Amino acid sequence: MKISIASYAFHGLLEQKEMDVFGYMESCRWRYGLRAADIWNGMIPNLEPAFLKQIKAGLAEHEMELANLCVDGPHLWEDDPETRRKHHALALEWLKAAEYLNARTIRIDAGGRDKTFTNEQFDYIVKTYKEYAQI
């Protein structure tokens, strides 16, 4: 069985500036003996190629795979079409990052604030997840 700890579990330390994505990998590998990471995008301050290269090198250095890239923020549904378009563009950037980092999975929320989706919302969410799945 492969086990990872979601880096979101350390968001308090991140907020206190006592941990970053590299400290997370270090802790997971050497303190907890894990070989898989589940990185929350809150620990990735930018998607610059040089920074992603450092993360990829950190995973390799710690002999870890990226089990999941957890992406908060660019959820699929927003009532405002312009915000929805911006979220889509940002989600595509995160998908590129996940591919570059060899993430086995990625999590992007559907969005929506109600407990049920309208037909329009649901159709858009299904269409968009299908697009993302092809990537």
Side-chain angles (χ1 to χ4, degrees):
M1 176 186 306
K2 293 183 180 181
I3 296 174
S4 62
I5 298 172
S7 68
Y8 184 78
F10 300 97
H11 76 277
L13 292 173
L14 176 70
E15 289 172 10
Q16 295 171 11
K17 299 190 183 330
E18 293 184 22
M19 182 176 281
D20 61 11
V21 69
F22 305 104
Y24 161 77
M25 286 187 272
E26 185 80 10
S27 293
C28 285
R29 181 67 184 103
W30 303 116
R31 185 172 187 175
Y32 303 114
L34 303 175
R35 298 230 177 218
D38 181 339
I39 298 176
W40 168 57
N41 69 328
M43 287 216 163
I44 302 175
N46 68 71
L47 291 173
E48 295 296 323
F51 191 71
L52 293 176
K53 186 175 181 180
Q54 289 178 316
I55 293 172
K56 190 171 187 171
L59 289 165
E61 176 186 336
H62 292 91
E63 299 174 343
M64 297 178 79
E65 69 176 328
L66 183 54
N68 182 57
L69 181 59
C70 174
V71 179
D72 283 337
H75 48 269
L76 280 65
W77 182 259
E78 274 290 334
D79 291 334
D80 175 57
E82 180 60 20
T83 302
R84 199 165 49 238
R85 186 195 64 72
K86 288 178 182 178
H87 280 208
H88 183 262
L90 185 55
L92 292 175
E93 292 300 313
W94 282 108
L95 283 161
K96 286 180 196 173
E99 181 179 16
Y100 175 75
L101 295 171
N102 298 315
R104 296 183 53 85
T105 63
I106 184 169
R107 195 240 337 125
I108 300 174
D109 292 331
R113 291 175 174 68
D114 299 321
K115 292 182 181 178
T116 59
F117 294 113
T118 66
N119 287 340
E120 176 192 12
Q121 292 169 328
F122 188 73
D123 290 346
Y124 178 84
I125 290 165
V126 169
K127 177 183 78 88
T128 306
Y129 275 141
K130 284 182 177 180
E131 174 189 347
Y132 293 172
Q134 291 304 307
I135 296 168

